[in-house]
């Protein structure tokens, strides 16, 4: 939940009297025009009563301008988003608060918040009167079917006189940002490597590979448990030594998103690229809930988060921040101008990546071969391939069949994602294919890396 606020004193003479005169409403300008016309007619016809009417019509708007121009209101405003990060298609509520910090009550106030057109019409509120030291709170809802980051604000305050002759606008300086992340789907609980058996209740457990405490001792630190003192090392080094705490290793997962412009065709919320972005977000949320150390990787070679243990975000104190960072990245990710997957392959071949979940667009023979080699450095790999022809024209392509065959021959669990296909069903099919591969196939897939962490079992 994000909080943003600003204060403004609306007693500043911004723009001078000229600005105040420019705030005349249609009613005020009509009164002045009618007054001038009446005065001219009175002069021509010699009617003194008509002249008085003309003077009254002319002076009244000018008096309203002068009164509004010399208004000495002091107000403070704040904005609060609840929540500040929402999935596409969901609503967020914006709370506005107005405080009168002066010793005088205000007159009629009009609030208007600036929002992008994709979030809906600009909200407007009328505050009849705010007593000295008083407070008013209003709220409105925003909703977007398109992911992205949208600025809210600045908040505008419109002052008007009781007769509606003049309006002046004052703007606050602060603004907030609403982040619309991709839609996520709850994925079925497929058995993942690194989890202990017997999770029938579906509870989330640590995936740490429990082992013996490190036999290499370290120096005693204030606060260490005396039961961990290693007496043999203490006698050898002549100082108090303790056994090191267990250093757990967590299962890893890399979610690869292909963002190449040439790999996708079409645009809009129902396009293949948006399906891939939503699928990557769903996979990230799912494996994070299962306790994996996760990172997001794109075809450009950029990794999120970029710091930590090999660039992975684990189920630790900063897991929520890292998950939010990855979702924020997916909220604004767009097409890259790259034509290949070589940069992503260079990142993956740097070490064992555990489980690899990839969302590919259309792959030609060269890029399919690069994607096939990515399998060599992972414990298990699952690919969802989106064929552009199927998404645009609704027809299957022979190239997509060859791509799936090549990936499967390299050890991938590869499935084609067509238009209207639910990721939950494909995720379940991937788990069934991995389970049907049998123990021998699974052990073969992990033998190259020497570990069983990260993959479908």
């Amino acid at each position: 939940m994000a909080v943003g606020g600003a204060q403004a004193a609306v007693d500043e003479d911004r723009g001078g009297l000229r600005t105040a005169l420019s705030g005349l409403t249609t009613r005020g300008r009509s009164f002045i025009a009618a007054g001038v016309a009446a005065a001219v007619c009175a002069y021509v016809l010699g009617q003194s009563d008509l002249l008085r009417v003309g003077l009254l019509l002319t002076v009244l708007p000018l008096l309203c301008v002068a009164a509004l121009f010399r208004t000495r209101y002091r107000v403070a405003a704040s904005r609060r988003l609840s929540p500040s990060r929402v999935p596409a298609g969901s609503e967020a509520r914006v709370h506005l608060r107005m405080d009168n910090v002066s010793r005088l009550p205000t007159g009629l106030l009009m609030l208007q918040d600036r929002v992008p057109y994709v979030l809906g019409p600009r909200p407007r509120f009328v505050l009849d009167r705010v007593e000295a030291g008083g407070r008013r709170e209003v709220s409105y809802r925003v909703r977007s079917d398109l992911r992205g980051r949208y600025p809210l604000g600045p908040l505008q305050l419109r002052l008007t006189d009781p007769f509606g002759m003049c309006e002046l606008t004052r703007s606050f300086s602060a603004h907030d940002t609403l982040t619309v992340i991709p839609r996520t789907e709850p994925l079925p609980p497929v058995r993942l490597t690194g989890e202990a058996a017997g999770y029938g209740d579906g509870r989330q457990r640590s995936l740490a590979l429990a082992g013996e405490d490190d036999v290499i001792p370290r120096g005693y630190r204030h606060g260490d448990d005396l039961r961990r003192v290693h007496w043999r090392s203490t006698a050898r080094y002549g100082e108090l030594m303790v056994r090191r705490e267990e250093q757990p290793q967590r299962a890893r997962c890399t979610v690869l998103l292909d963002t190449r412009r040439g790999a996708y065709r079409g645009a809009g919320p129902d396009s293949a690229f948006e399906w891939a972005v939503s699928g990557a977000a769903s996979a990230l949320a799912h494996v994070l809930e299962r306790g994996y150390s996760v990172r997001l990787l794109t075809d450009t070679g950029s990794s999120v988060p970029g710091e930590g243990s090999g660039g992975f975000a684990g189920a630790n104190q900063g897991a929520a921040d890292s998950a939010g960072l990855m979702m924020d990245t997916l909220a604004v990710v767009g097409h890259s101008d790259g034509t290949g997957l070589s940069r992503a392959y260079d990142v993956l071949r740097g070490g064992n990546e555990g489980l690899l979940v990839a969302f590919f667009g259309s792959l030609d023979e060269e890029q399919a071969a690069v994607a096939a080699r990515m399998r060599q450095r992972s414990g298990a790999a699952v690919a969802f391939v989106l064929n552009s022809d199927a998404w645009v024209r609704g027809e299957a392509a022979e190239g997509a069949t060859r791509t799936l065959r090549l990936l499967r021959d390299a050890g991938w669990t590869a499935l084609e994602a067509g238009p209207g296909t639910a990721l939950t069903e494909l995720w379940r099919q991937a788990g069934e294919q991995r389970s049907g591969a049998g123990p021998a196939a699974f052990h073969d897939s992990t033998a190259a890396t020497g570990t069983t962490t990260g993959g479908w079992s």
Side-chain angles (χ1 to χ4, degrees), residues 158-226:
R158 301 176 64 184
L159 307 177
T160 183
D161 64 280
F163 300 102
M165 300 290 183
C166 181
E167 290 183 354
L168 295 181
T169 302
R170 296 290 184 262
S171 295
F172 296 86
S173 58
H175 66 276
D176 294 278
T177 301
L178 175 67
T179 302
V180 181
I181 63 176
R183 294 186 182 92
T184 58
E185 301 180 39
L187 302 181
V190 176
R191 174 84 164 88
L192 302 178
T193 303
E195 293 177 337
Y199 278 29
D201 56 358
R203 292 179 299 174
Q204 301 175 6
R205 300 189 183 184
S206 171
L207 301 182
L209 302 179
E212 297 292 335
D213 287 344
D214 195 337
V215 297
I216 302 177
R218 60 169 175 82
Y220 176 82
R221 299 171 186 170
H222 179 72
D224 285 339
D225 191 347
L226 292 178

Side-chain angles (χ1 to χ4, degrees), residues 206 208-209 246-250:
S206 171
L209 302 179
E246 177 185 333
Q247 302 295 330
Q249 178 184 0
R250 309 190 68 83

Side-chain angles (χ1 to χ4, degrees), residues 63-245:
L63 291 177
C64 293
V65 170
L68 196 61
F69 176 71
R70 297 182 61 84
T71 299
R72 292 296 186 267
Y73 295 153
R74 296 184 63 87
V75 296
S78 63
R79 181 189 299 104
R80 179 170 54 90
L81 307 183
S82 176
S84 61
R85 183 187 294 114
V86 295
S90 300
E91 290 185 345
R93 183 168 289 275
V94 183
H95 302 269
L96 301 176
R97 171 175 156 179
M98 180 68 64
D99 295 282
N100 183 10
V101 296
S102 68
R103 298 181 179 180
L104 298 176
T106 68
L108 185 66
L109 300 178
M110 297 180 63
L111 293 181
Q112 176 178 281
D113 207 6
R114 299 185 61 181
V115 300
Y117 71 94
V118 295
L119 298 182
R122 290 187 177 182
R124 294 181 176 88
F125 305 94
V126 177
L127 304 182
D128 191 10
R129 181 180 180 275
V130 182
E131 64 278 5
R135 173 189 307 172
R136 296 291 185 273
E137 295 184 2
V138 294
S139 64
Y140 63 94
R141 294 177 295 179
V142 291
R143 178 181 180 274
S144 175
D145 293 327
L146 302 175
R147 57 186 177 83
R149 293 172 62 87
Y150 301 100
L152 300 178
L155 183 65
Q156 293 181 334
L157 178 64
R158 301 176 64 184
L159 307 177
T160 183
D161 64 280
F163 300 102
M165 300 290 183
C166 181
E167 290 183 354
L168 295 181
T169 302
R170 296 290 184 262
S171 295
F172 296 86
S173 58
H175 66 276
D176 294 278
T177 301
L178 175 67
T179 302
V180 181
I181 63 176
R183 294 186 182 92
T184 58
E185 301 180 39
L187 302 181
V190 176
R191 174 84 164 88
L192 302 178
T193 303
E195 293 177 337
Y199 278 29
D201 56 358
R203 292 179 299 174
Q204 301 175 6
R205 300 189 183 184
S206 171
L207 301 182
L209 302 179
E212 297 292 335
D213 287 344
D214 195 337
V215 297
I216 302 177
R218 60 169 175 82
Y220 176 82
R221 299 171 186 170
H222 179 72
D224 285 339
D225 191 347
L226 292 178
R227 290 175 296 182
R228 303 189 66 86
V229 173
H230 196 269
W231 296 108
R232 183 179 301 177
S233 298
T234 299
R236 179 179 179 181
Y237 293 102
E239 60 176 317
L240 203 58
M241 306 292 289
V242 296
R243 296 188 302 273
R244 289 186 179 181
E245 298 289 342

Side-chain angles (χ1 to χ4, degrees), residues 252-276:
R252 289 181 171 185
C253 175
T254 297
V255 177
L256 172 61
L257 176 62
D258 181 10
T259 63
R260 295 173 297 132
R261 188 180 305 275
Y264 301 93
R265 296 173 59 184
D270 297 328
S271 64
F273 181 66
E274 293 301 325
W275 191 97

